[in-house]
């Protein structure tokens, strides 16, 4: 009898669970299944060989020392799921959820761009106008690089204004925070020099958080309110982003905040548990997976429909690359047709973030983490999403093991410098740092290796063809990156090209 009752109870439980599942809205049921698949199938972007490793989210959080993650899933322009994993702080039992606040780093720039475009739509500013007409509390630095056309917000938002200051250090509890004017002037307590022109506005790509700080001042000089108040009025309240804010430091009594952790997964910025980012427009956004997913979905719908948060024409403008940048007005743009996506990452000292949206399908993803190695984890989550959602980007890449003879490899050795004849405007983000350096190719340890000329740091290249080689240092982070050596009919190699997913740069061999 007890056996029969036990069986009956089991069947009642099963039927009840089925009824609950079937009663869920379709998108909730779908998200339940896809999220389970997502967190069980993390992987790297490429593997040498034919066996792709697979990991669980929990395993990789432990591996990378990231105690907390929140993920938002967007399908056909709708946020269908936002969920948290792990804990607010290592050693605590407080769980992350879809409404937990994280520092979003440079994803803040997408919120800032949306605010300024909303102000343009409301007639409060002209995105292509000279910003000097709006500035009341600060003036642009004098420079022979500044022309009569001046600087526009389109230039600032696309990182083509020619400004310096890539990014900012975070501030620990107790440290004095600079004002916006002190940040722009580069005076204490700011931890960098003043905002200056490196290039003529509109002529070259140079990522600039400093430029976004100037955009912040433009917004507040127009509204006459603080940036947190401006953001709340123009973006957070109308979009229902009830947890998001630009207040720095975040008040101590704020609830459900993911705390900061270093690369070893240990809590930092104690006793408060998180840093402050006073350069708000560039890197000071605090947000949740639910709110950030809501924003990402709204940008997708503004592009795809006539009744989005932004006017459609303005959203299309936002998602159009501004030559010579990889960015539109705010987001980076990649792909085409069914693979047309916008995206942006964020990296403050102890937090990493990511958003992406497919403008054709309406699908997207947001990821927030509270660990300094969160970016490595984000990459593997994105790769899993590509598999689970059948996205055409971030597909797994299997590199065949090719044996190239030493004589052929040796023929590619030499020094190569960026070609002067290839237009800078065609290189997009492939400027500065490594991309402007002369590189040395050498045969070492049985394979080709690459280094900046004069450096003793060499990196192995993996052959993908007789004259093509993958650059592993970039590949896991930004996708397939290949060097191609161009050998002519006389078996001479005088040129080399470097291709990333969205652009190519050309090099000339230096004859010595």
């Amino acid at each position: 009898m007890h056996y029969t009752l036990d069986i009956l109870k089991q069947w009642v439980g099963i039927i009840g669970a089925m009824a609950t599942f079937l009663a869920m809205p379709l998108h909730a049921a779908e998200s339940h299944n896809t999220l389970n698949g997502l967190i069980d199938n993390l992987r790297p972007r490429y593997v040498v060989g034919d066996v792709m490793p697979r990991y669980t989210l929990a395993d990789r959080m432990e591996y990378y020392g990231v105690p907390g993650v929140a993920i938002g899933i967007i399908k056909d322009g709708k946020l269908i799921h936002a969920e948290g994993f792990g804990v607010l702080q290592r050693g605590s039992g407080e769980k992350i959820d879809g409404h937990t606040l994280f520092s979003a780093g440079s994803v803040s720039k997408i919120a800032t761009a949306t605010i300024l475009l909303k102000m343009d739509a409301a007639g409060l500013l002209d995105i292509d106008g000279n910003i000097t007409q709006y500035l009341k509390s600060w003036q642009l630095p004098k420079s022979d690089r500044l022309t009569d056309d001046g600087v526009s917000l389109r230039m600032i938002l696309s990182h083509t204004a020619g400004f310096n200051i890539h990014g900012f250090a975070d501030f620990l509890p107790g440290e004095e925070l600079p004002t916006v004017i002190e940040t722009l002037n580069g005076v204490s307590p700011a931890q960098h020099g003043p905002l200056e022109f490196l290039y003529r506005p509109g002529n070259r790509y140079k990522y600039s958080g400093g430029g976004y700080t100037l955009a912040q001042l433009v917004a507040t000089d127009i509204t006459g309110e603080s940036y947190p108040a401006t953001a709340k009025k123009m973006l957070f309240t109308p979009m229902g982003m009830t947890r998001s804010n630009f207040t720095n430091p975040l008040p101590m009594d704020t609830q459900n905040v993911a705390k900061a952790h270093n690369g070893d997964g240990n809590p930092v910025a104690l006793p408060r548990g998180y840093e402050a980012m006073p350069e708000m427009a560039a890197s000071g956004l605090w947000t949740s997976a639910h709110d950030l997913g809501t924003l990402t979905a709204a940008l997708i719908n503004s592009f795809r429909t006539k009744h989005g948060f932004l006017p459609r024409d303005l959203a299309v403008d936002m998602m159009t690359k501004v030559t010579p940048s990889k960015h539109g007005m705010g987001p980076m743009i990649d792909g085409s047709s069914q693979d047309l996506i916008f995206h942006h990452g964020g990296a403050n000292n102890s937090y990493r973030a990511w958003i992406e949206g497919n403008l054709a399908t309406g699908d997207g993803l947001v990821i927030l983490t509270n660990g300094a190695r969160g970016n490595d984890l984000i990459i593997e989550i994105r790769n899993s999403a590509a598999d689970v959602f059948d996205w055409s980007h971030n597909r797994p890449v299997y590199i065949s093991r090719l044996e190239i003879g030493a004589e052929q490899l040796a023929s590619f050795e030499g020094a190569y410098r960026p070609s002067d004849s290839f237009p800078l405007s065609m290189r997009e983000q492939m400027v500065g740092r490594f991309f402007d350096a002369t590189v040395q190719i050498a045969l070492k340890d049985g394979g080709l290796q690459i280094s900046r000329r004069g450096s003793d740091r060499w990196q192995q290249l993996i052959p993908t063809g007789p004259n093509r080689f993958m650059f592993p240092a970039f590949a896991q982070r930004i996708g397939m990156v290949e060097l191609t050596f161009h050998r002519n009919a006389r078996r001479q190699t005088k040129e080399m090209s470097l291709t990333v997913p969205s652009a190519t740069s050309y090099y000339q061999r230096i004859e010595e």
Side-chain angles (χ1 to χ4, degrees):
M1 181 67 175
H2 291 294
Y3 179 81
T4 305
L5 285 174
D6 288 341
I7 294 293
L8 181 61
K9 289 177 181 178
Q10 290 177 19
W11 273 106
V12 169
I14 292 170
I15 292 169
M18 290 178 61
T20 300
F21 183 78
L22 292 173
M24 295 168 66
L26 179 59
H27 67 267
E30 289 176 342
S31 69
H32 177 82
N33 290 332
T34 55
L35 189 63
N36 284 342
L38 180 69
I39 65 176
D40 289 336
N41 285 286
L42 277 66
R43 62 165 172 81
R45 188 156 292 166
Y46 77 91
V47 65
V48 179
D50 55 8
V51 179
M52 181 67 71
R54 297 283 174 172
Y55 315 106
T56 67
L57 177 60
D59 287 343
R60 299 311 268 176
M61 289 171 66
E62 179 69 23
Y63 180 81
Y64 291 122
V66 179
V69 178
I71 300 172
I73 300 171
I74 300 154
K75 187 174 180 61
D76 194 24
K78 299 179 182 65
L79 177 66
I80 64 169
H81 202 88
E83 186 169 337
F85 305 88
V87 293
L88 300 182
Q89 188 173 63
R90 184 176 181 178
S92 79
E94 296 178 281
K95 302 294 186 181
I96 299 284
D97 60 39
H99 296 284
T100 299
L101 282 183
F102 290 78
S103 168
S106 285
V107 172
S108 308
K109 294 179 176 69
I110 304 304
T112 293
T114 306
I115 291 165
L116 291 165
L117 289 169
K118 191 68 173 178
M119 292 176 69
D120 178 279
L124 297 175
L125 58 82
D126 177 2
I127 212 75
D128 290 306
N130 191 331
I131 62 171
T132 57
Q133 65 185 300
Y134 307 119
L135 288 171
K136 302 173 184 175
S137 54
W138 193 78
Q139 297 301 315
L140 287 173
K142 292 182 180 180
S143 172
D144 57 6
R145 297 185 175 95
L146 185 59
T147 65
D148 292 340
D149 293 336
V151 177
S152 70
L153 286 167
R154 183 185 298 271
M155 294 175 184
I156 292 174
L157 298 183
S158 62
H159 302 283
T160 59
F163 287 124
N164 62 343
I165 310 180
H166 180 95
F168 305 97
D170 299 346
F171 288 79
L172 293 172
E175 289 188 308
E176 184 182 358
L177 305 184
T179 64
V180 174
I181 301 301
E182 288 170 337
T183 297
L184 293 173
N185 287 334
V187 299
S188 183
Q191 302 176 18
H192 51 78
L195 186 71
E196 296 176 336
F197 288 100
L198 297 179
Y199 312 107
R200 285 183 58 195
N203 280 24
R204 183 172 170 131
Y205 171 74
K206 176 68 173 70
Y207 189 92
S208 176
Y212 267 74
T213 303
L214 179 55
Q216 173 183 324
L217 188 64
V218 169
T220 56
D221 276 359
I222 290 173
T223 64
E225 299 180 307
S226 69
Y227 195 63
T230 298
K232 184 176 182 180
K233 180 182 293 184
M234 302 303 303
L235 178 62
F236 299 149
T237 296
M239 197 172 283
M241 298 170 65
T242 58
R243 290 281 288 155
S244 300
N245 66 82
F246 275 105
T247 303
N248 280 275
L250 199 63
M252 287 284 290
D253 60 355
T254 307
Q255 300 298 305
N256 196 11
V257 180
K259 304 298 177 64
H261 297 80
N262 63 18
D264 295 323
N266 295 320
V268 293
L270 301 173
R272 187 174 66 208
Y274 46 85
E275 299 90 347
M277 286 63 67
E279 305 85 8
M280 292 175 277
S283 59
L285 175 65
W286 290 91
T287 190
S288 67
H290 177 274
D291 282 9
L292 194 56
T294 298
L295 172 59
T296 305
L299 294 178
I300 291 171
N301 287 325
S302 294
F303 183 93
R304 299 173 80 212
T305 71
K306 294 181 179 179
H307 306 290
F309 181 75
L310 294 176
R312 188 174 191 176
D313 289 347
L314 200 55
V316 171
D317 211 10
M318 181 187 198
M319 301 298 175
T320 302
K321 283 186 183 180
V322 179
T323 300
S325 176
K326 184 182 179 179
H327 296 252
M329 285 191 281
M332 300 180 192
I333 312 298
D334 276 324
S336 62
S337 190
Q338 290 294 300
D339 195 21
L340 178 60
I341 66 169
F342 68 92
H343 59 90
H344 209 291
N348 283 338
N349 287 6
S350 309
Y351 298 86
R352 301 293 186 269
W354 181 264
I355 68 166
E356 66 182 86
N358 187 307
L359 295 168
T361 66
D363 300 337
L365 185 70
V366 303
I367 309 168
L368 296 162
T369 73
N370 65 344
R373 294 190 67 192
N375 204 45
D376 296 311
L377 182 63
I378 286 170
I379 290 166
E380 295 183 2
I381 295 171
R382 292 181 60 216
N383 295 340
S384 177
D387 298 343
V388 172
F389 302 137
D390 196 28
W391 290 348
S392 54
H393 60 284
N394 295 342
R395 292 289 196 188
V397 176
Y398 297 88
I399 306 297
S400 298
R401 300 180 187 275
L402 299 178
E403 297 294 333
I404 310 299
E407 180 182 356
Q408 173 130 330
L409 294 177
S411 71
F412 302 137
E413 289 186 298
Y416 296 79
R417 62 173 176 80
S419 173
D420 293 331
S421 61
F422 186 64
L424 194 64
S425 62
M426 301 295 289
R427 285 168 55 183
E428 295 189 352
Q429 79 277 20
M430 299 178 72
V431 294
R433 301 182 181 182
F434 174 84
F435 296 113
D436 280 343
T438 295
V439 298
Q440 192 78 28
I441 304 294
L443 181 58
K444 290 177 174 288
D445 301 324
L448 276 192
Q449 296 192 25
I450 186 170
S451 173
R452 288 194 193 197
R453 195 175 196 187
S455 171
D456 58 359
R457 294 181 60 187
W458 292 85
Q459 297 191 51
Q460 192 77 35
L461 298 173
I462 299 175
T464 55
N467 63 323
R468 298 179 68 169
F469 298 81
M470 190 188 73
F471 202 152
F474 288 116
Q476 291 290 16
R477 292 185 175 274
I478 64 175
M480 197 66 171
V481 176
E482 286 188 302
L483 286 171
T484 302
F485 296 95
H486 303 280
R487 194 173 71 173
N488 63 25
R490 296 180 176 84
R491 302 191 72 210
Q492 300 168 325
T493 302
K494 296 187 175 183
E495 295 91 17
M496 177 188 79
S497 58
L498 174 61
T499 302
V500 301
S502 64
T504 300
S505 186
Y506 290 88
Y507 294 75
Q508 294 290 134
R509 190 173 191 165
I510 300 174
E511 301 296 336
E512 298 177 311

